[in-house]
Amino acid sequence: MNVQVAEKFISIDGEGPHAGELAAFIRFKGCNLNCTYCDTKWANVKNCTAAEESAEDLVRWVRDEGIDNVTLTGGEPLLQKDIQHLISALLDQGCRVEIETNGSIDLAPFCEDPKHRPVFTVDCKLMSSGAACVRAMRPENYRLLNGHDSVKFVCGSLEDLKRAQAIIAKYDLDQICHVFLSPVFGEISPKTIVAFMKDKRLNGVRLQLQLHKMIWNPAARGV
């Protein structure tokens, strides 16, 4: 079985606990959500150009590039039918595999085999993403996370920040994984987020800015 690859490239991780490190990015076609602020809508449309590639082809590409960190992103990578085969193959090659997932997919099937469990960055959608995205969230995933994983809250308003604070407290996220607050690009000032963190004493929570949008044009692909 093959997966649908919209693009692949080498860059730095723009966010998360490994921000600033080199990573091999594999972006997959298709997503089951339609967030208002999505910056990769082009990869989600049905007529998006995508290459059918096998896990073996992608493992070979990563190995030839000489990169240890692999980020599987989208779109929604966990929608790909053969994604676990690719994850396992990359892990068997000694790669660190990070899945950027939108929070609506059940993570349990990907956690059954500890040897072939990837690192998860789970996006928890808030109202700035759209009400349908919020309804699609699966909070039961949080019990599957560990200290290598992350939960990311993309915030566009003070109400988003308040909701993020409530979810962090309800599920003790700051005690079990990395937690990041990130601004919707151009919608809320990072200063506002920092002020909120100070006011609410959000220990164990980090402000996250997207490095790739600061280094390159925010609309640039393949960076």
Side-chain angles (χ1 to χ4, degrees):
M1 295 179 65
N2 292 337
V3 290
Q4 294 185 306
V5 178
E7 63 174 350
K8 58 183 189 285
F9 56 94
I10 307 300
S11 187
I12 58 165
D13 258 327
E15 48 194 348
H18 285 252
E21 290 188 25
L22 285 175
F25 287 83
I26 304 174
R27 185 182 307 284
F28 298 96
K29 173 183 177 179
C31 189
N32 58 320
L33 301 183
N34 185 28
C35 297
T36 59
Y37 51 70
C38 179
D39 52 9
T40 55
K41 286 183 182 291
W42 63 270
N44 302 336
V45 296
K46 289 185 178 180
N47 63 351
C48 169
T49 301
E52 294 277 344
E53 299 200 47
S54 69
E56 291 72 24
D57 291 336
L58 292 169
V59 169
R60 188 179 306 111
W61 172 72
V62 170
R63 185 177 63 240
D64 290 348
E65 292 290 346
I67 300 296
D68 296 330
N69 294 323
V70 181
T71 299
L72 306 183
T73 188
E76 172 49 61
L78 297 183
L79 292 177
Q80 299 293 318
K81 292 182 180 179
D82 204 29
I83 196 68
Q84 184 59 63
H85 179 45
L86 174 59
I87 293 168
S88 298
L90 288 166
L91 289 170
D92 286 341
Q93 286 291 316
C95 297
R96 174 188 180 272
V97 179
E98 179 174 343
I99 306 288
E100 294 186 339
T101 181
N102 64 23
S104 70
I105 306 296
D106 182 10
L107 300 186
F110 304 96
C111 299
E112 293 174 352
D113 179 3
K115 180 182 176 183
H116 293 122
R117 183 196 186 279
V119 174
F120 296 106
T121 293
V122 180
D123 207 336
C124 180
K125 304 300 184 184
L126 304 169
M127 283 306 297
S128 288
S129 67
C133 297
V134 173
R135 289 193 297 269
M137 293 300 94
R138 299 178 68 103
E140 61 269 25
N141 281 332
Y142 299 143
R143 64 179 176 81
L144 301 171
L145 303 182
N146 61 39
H148 298 289
D149 302 317
S150 303
V151 174
K152 176 177 70 172
F153 297 88
V154 181
C155 303
S157 67
L158 184 58
E159 290 306 310
D160 281 351
L161 288 168
K162 292 177 180 178
R163 179 59 180 158
Q165 180 192 15
I167 294 171
I168 293 166
K170 181 176 180 178
Y171 297 102
D172 294 320
L173 294 180
D174 55 333
Q175 303 299 312
I176 62 175
C177 65
H178 302 285
V179 180
F180 297 97
L181 300 179
S182 183
V184 176
F185 192 75
E187 292 294 323
I188 189 172
S189 168
K191 293 180 181 179
T192 301
I193 297 179
V194 173
F196 183 86
M197 292 170 64
K198 289 167 60 178
D199 181 57
K200 304 302 181 182
R201 295 296 190 263
L202 296 184
N203 295 297
V205 176
R206 303 181 207 175
L207 170 70
Q208 175 173 263
L209 302 179
Q210 295 175 297
L211 290 179
H212 53 286
K213 290 187 178 180
M214 300 167 66
I215 299 172
W216 297 281
N217 184 305
R221 298 185 190 178
V223 296

